[in-house]
Amino acid sequence: MTLLKGKVCLITGGSRGIGAGIVSKFVAEGATVFFTYMSSSDRAEQLIASLGDLPGKAIAFQSDASVFASAEAAVKKVVDEGGRLDVLVNNAGITRDNLMLRMSEDQWDEVVQANLKSVFNLSKHALRPMLKNRSGSIINMSSVVGVFGNAGQANYAASKAGIIGFTKSLAKEVGSRSIRCNAIAPGYIETEMTDVLDEKVKESFLSNIPLNRMGTTEEIADLTAFLASDKSCYITGQVISICGGLNT
Ligand code: NAP
């Protein structure tokens, strides 16, 4: 499996959930993967240990994607140690759910900083090495909630909708330099982020999914690997839903 052989990739929030699935898939496909985490260094080390003798390799480091200077340092580290940057996956994200009347300013700010400002931070710094190489693929993790909205998630939905506008604009801006930018809109995927949801909310989600089950991190990773690879070289500016038909 060598779909990403020779590619140097940066994935934010790779220690758990969807990000960890993407790290494993990219390494299995031969990539050199740098991934960040916010605080779970143990989980990052366990993930690296679990990769065994897969063809690629993974390097983990702490970096807060919501901080502009940290994003700059993260991209510099990748280029210094990896020699180039071919693929950026803006995956890091958080939820701070609450109904609008109860939502605090902090809950709004934290989510927008971690989910949307982070995409600006990393993309801005990643563009320089990509422009130099006249190639690159930026993949932003949005959500079906960013397309349709969800009660109790106005902050999260706004951040994920913002990612879609950002993705389309950047695709138009840098397409002429062979740099692509796409968004993935997952539906309801089995991770710690969805574990915390109320059973009633889970049941109502499931009743609206034609494929009648939650998605897996492996399924998101497969789509991300395709968008990272040269197999998708004529796809840019798109929002690709992967949701078992939830948004049909
Ligand atoms: P998760 O299990 O909660 O994992 C989140 C990851 O992001 C962790 O690695 C975490 O690091 C990292 N992270 C959080 N804030 C960060 C920051 N400021 N800087 C760097 N890393 C940070 O989440 P998930 O379910 O895998 O979700 C991954 C992405 O998919 C998110 O953008 C989420 O919004 C999106 N998504 C998820 C679903 C779903 O159903 N799960 C659906 C649609 C979209 P630590 O481990 O150190 O905390």
Side-chain angles (χ1 to χ4, degrees):
M1 298 207 288
T2 54
L3 191 63
L4 301 176
K5 190 165 185 268
K7 294 211 186 280
V8 177
C9 310
L10 172 58
I11 300 168
T12 63
S15 49
R16 297 186 278 126
I18 291 173
I22 297 170
V23 170
S24 302
K25 175 70 182 171
F26 278 27
V27 171
E29 292 291 352
T32 298
V33 177
F34 292 81
F35 71 93
T36 67
Y37 54 86
M38 186 65 174
S39 58
S40 47
S41 55
D42 290 354
R43 301 282 293 268
E45 277 170 33
Q46 282 164 21
L47 173 59
I48 291 176
S50 75
L51 299 173
D53 53 6
L54 289 172
K57 66 172 178 172
I59 301 105
F61 59 101
Q62 196 284 331
S63 179
D64 184 345
S66 69
V67 175
F68 190 72
S70 305
E72 183 173 24
V75 170
K76 184 173 185 309
K77 179 180 169 68
V78 173
V79 175
D80 285 351
E81 294 177 22
R84 52 191 289 132
L85 177 56
D86 299 294
V87 177
L88 168 66
V89 183
N90 283 310
N91 168 75
I94 60 169
T95 50
R96 297 286 182 270
D97 297 351
N98 218 338
L99 293 171
M100 199 58 203
L101 279 177
R102 294 193 199 133
M103 189 176 289
S104 67
E105 188 181 359
D106 281 351
Q107 285 176 323
W108 173 271
D109 287 345
E110 267 185 73
V111 167
V112 172
Q113 287 277 336
N115 295 5
L116 181 58
K117 172 89 186 309
S118 62
V119 174
F120 163 77
N121 290 343
L122 271 300
S123 304
K124 175 155 173 76
H125 296 298
L127 271 185
R128 206 171 289 279
M130 287 181 176
L131 285 168
K132 199 170 149 214
N133 289 346
R134 285 191 159 262
S135 90
S137 176
I138 297 175
I139 301 156
N140 298 323
M141 210 53 74
S142 179
S143 167
V144 289
V145 167
V147 180
F148 292 104
N150 196 24
Q153 289 198 305
N155 51 358
Y156 183 78
S159 71
K160 294 299 181 181
I163 285 176
I164 292 173
F166 178 93
T167 300
K168 292 181 178 186
S169 302
L170 189 59
K172 289 182 176 179
E173 210 170 300
V174 297
S176 63
R177 316 291 174 88
S178 300
I179 299 168
R180 301 182 295 113
C181 184
N182 291 290
I184 294 177
Y188 184 29
I189 311 301
E190 270 179 272
T191 69
E192 287 164 39
M193 187 178 270
T194 47
D195 264 1
V196 297
L197 289 176
D198 185 82
E199 279 308 315
K200 278 195 183 138
V201 175
K202 285 187 188 179
E203 276 166 30
S204 104
F205 264 123
L206 280 176
S207 66
N208 287 313
I209 299 174
L211 290 181
N212 205 26
R213 65 169 177 84
M214 294 170 73
T216 66
T217 58
E218 290 80 11
E219 287 162 342
I220 305 296
D222 283 342
L223 173 59
T224 313
F226 171 69
L227 288 175
S229 79
D230 299 337
K231 297 271 183 208
S232 60
C233 60
Y234 201 52
I235 300 177
T236 195
Q238 303 306 302
V239 183
I240 303 180
S241 290
I242 172 161
C243 60
L246 175 64
N247 78 352
T248 306

